[in-house]
PDB file of all heavy atoms in Angstrom:
ATOM      1  N   VAL A1194     -28.133  12.871 196.186  1.00  0.00           N
ATOM      2  CA  VAL A1194     -29.106  13.093 195.080  1.00  0.00           C
ATOM      3  C   VAL A1194     -30.171  12.058 195.142  1.00  0.00           C
ATOM      4  O   VAL A1194     -29.902  10.868 195.353  1.00  0.00           O
ATOM      5  CB  VAL A1194     -28.354  13.090 193.745  1.00  0.00           C
ATOM      6  CG1 VAL A1194     -29.315  13.099 192.564  1.00  0.00           C
ATOM      7  CG2 VAL A1194     -27.427  14.330 193.655  1.00  0.00           C
ATOM      8  N   ASP A1195     -31.414  12.454 194.940  1.00  0.00           N
ATOM      9  CA  ASP A1195     -32.540  11.547 194.996  1.00  0.00           C
ATOM     10  C   ASP A1195     -32.495  10.527 193.859  1.00  0.00           C
ATOM     11  O   ASP A1195     -31.918  10.790 192.775  1.00  0.00           O
ATOM     12  CB  ASP A1195     -33.835  12.318 194.936  1.00  0.00           C
ATOM     13  CG  ASP A1195     -35.025  11.503 195.313  1.00  0.00           C
ATOM     14  OD1 ASP A1195     -35.172  11.137 196.501  1.00  0.00           O
ATOM     15  OD2 ASP A1195     -35.857  11.179 194.416  1.00  0.00           O
ATOM     16  N   LYS A1196     -33.120   9.378 194.069  1.00  0.00           N
ATOM     17  CA  LYS A1196     -33.163   8.313 193.091  1.00  0.00           C
ATOM     18  C   LYS A1196     -33.728   8.769 191.749  1.00  0.00           C
ATOM     19  O   LYS A1196     -33.290   8.375 190.685  1.00  0.00           O
ATOM     20  CB  LYS A1196     -33.971   7.154 193.632  1.00  0.00           C
ATOM     21  CG  LYS A1196     -33.855   5.856 192.841  1.00  0.00           C
ATOM     22  CD  LYS A1196     -34.608   4.716 193.479  1.00  0.00           C
ATOM     23  CE  LYS A1196     -36.069   4.788 193.184  1.00  0.00           C
ATOM     24  NZ  LYS A1196     -36.886   3.629 193.637  1.00  0.00           N
ATOM     25  N   ALA A1197     -34.753   9.656 191.824  1.00  0.00           N
ATOM     26  CA  ALA A1197     -35.421  10.168 190.611  1.00  0.00           C
ATOM     27  C   ALA A1197     -34.518  11.013 189.747  1.00  0.00           C
ATOM     28  O   ALA A1197     -34.640  11.041 188.524  1.00  0.00           O
ATOM     29  CB  ALA A1197     -36.659  10.964 191.011  1.00  0.00           C
ATOM     30  N   ASP A1198     -33.529  11.687 190.362  1.00  0.00           N
ATOM     31  CA  ASP A1198     -32.628  12.578 189.648  1.00  0.00           C
ATOM     32  C   ASP A1198     -31.266  11.953 189.311  1.00  0.00           C
ATOM     33  O   ASP A1198     -30.457  12.540 188.564  1.00  0.00           O
ATOM     34  CB  ASP A1198     -32.394  13.867 190.441  1.00  0.00           C
ATOM     35  CG  ASP A1198     -33.687  14.562 190.792  1.00  0.00           C
ATOM     36  OD1 ASP A1198     -34.577  14.641 189.902  1.00  0.00           O
ATOM     37  OD2 ASP A1198     -33.832  14.998 191.938  1.00  0.00           O
ATOM     38  N   LYS A1199     -31.024  10.804 189.863  1.00  0.00           N
ATOM     39  CA  LYS A1199     -29.668  10.174 189.790  1.00  0.00           C
ATOM     40  C   LYS A1199     -29.262   9.941 188.324  1.00  0.00           C
ATOM     41  O   LYS A1199     -28.118  10.242 187.926  1.00  0.00           O
ATOM     42  CB  LYS A1199     -29.718   8.857 190.542  1.00  0.00           C
ATOM     43  CG  LYS A1199     -28.334   8.334 190.868  1.00  0.00           C
ATOM     44  CD  LYS A1199     -28.435   7.142 191.781  1.00  0.00           C
ATOM     45  CE  LYS A1199     -27.061   6.575 192.043  1.00  0.00           C
ATOM     46  NZ  LYS A1199     -27.110   5.424 192.948  1.00  0.00           N
ATOM     47  N   LYS A1200     -30.162   9.421 187.505  1.00  0.00           N
ATOM     48  CA  LYS A1200     -29.860   9.120 186.138  1.00  0.00           C
ATOM     49  C   LYS A1200     -29.401  10.351 185.340  1.00  0.00           C
ATOM     50  O   LYS A1200     -28.424  10.332 184.624  1.00  0.00           O
ATOM     51  CB  LYS A1200     -31.057   8.445 185.449  1.00  0.00           C
ATOM     52  CG  LYS A1200     -30.793   7.944 184.041  1.00  0.00           C
ATOM     53  CD  LYS A1200     -32.040   7.325 183.454  1.00  0.00           C
ATOM     54  CE  LYS A1200     -31.803   6.987 181.981  1.00  0.00           C
ATOM     55  NZ  LYS A1200     -33.069   6.574 181.338  1.00  0.00           N
ATOM     56  N   ASN A1201     -30.162  11.474 185.516  1.00  0.00           N
ATOM     57  CA  ASN A1201     -29.864  12.696 184.807  1.00  0.00           C
ATOM     58  C   ASN A1201     -28.520  13.297 185.231  1.00  0.00           C
ATOM     59  O   ASN A1201     -27.745  13.754 184.406  1.00  0.00           O
ATOM     60  CB  ASN A1201     -30.975  13.706 185.017  1.00  0.00           C
ATOM     61  CG  ASN A1201     -32.199  13.357 184.246  1.00  0.00           C
ATOM     62  OD1 ASN A1201     -32.144  12.742 183.210  1.00  0.00           O
ATOM     63  ND2 ASN A1201     -33.371  13.730 184.795  1.00  0.00           N
ATOM     64  N   VAL A1202     -28.244  13.222 186.533  1.00  0.00           N
ATOM     65  CA  VAL A1202     -27.015  13.770 187.058  1.00  0.00           C
ATOM     66  C   VAL A1202     -25.799  12.942 186.566  1.00  0.00           C
ATOM     67  O   VAL A1202     -24.776  13.507 186.198  1.00  0.00           O
ATOM     68  CB  VAL A1202     -27.033  13.858 188.610  1.00  0.00           C
ATOM     69  CG1 VAL A1202     -25.701  14.317 189.157  1.00  0.00           C
ATOM     70  CG2 VAL A1202     -28.117  14.821 189.071  1.00  0.00           C
TER      71      VAL A1202
END
Side-chain angles (χ1 to χ4, degrees):
V1194 170
D1195 194 69
K1196 193 177 80 173
D1198 304 317
K1199 196 173 178 179
K1200 185 181 173 188
N1201 288 329
V1202 175

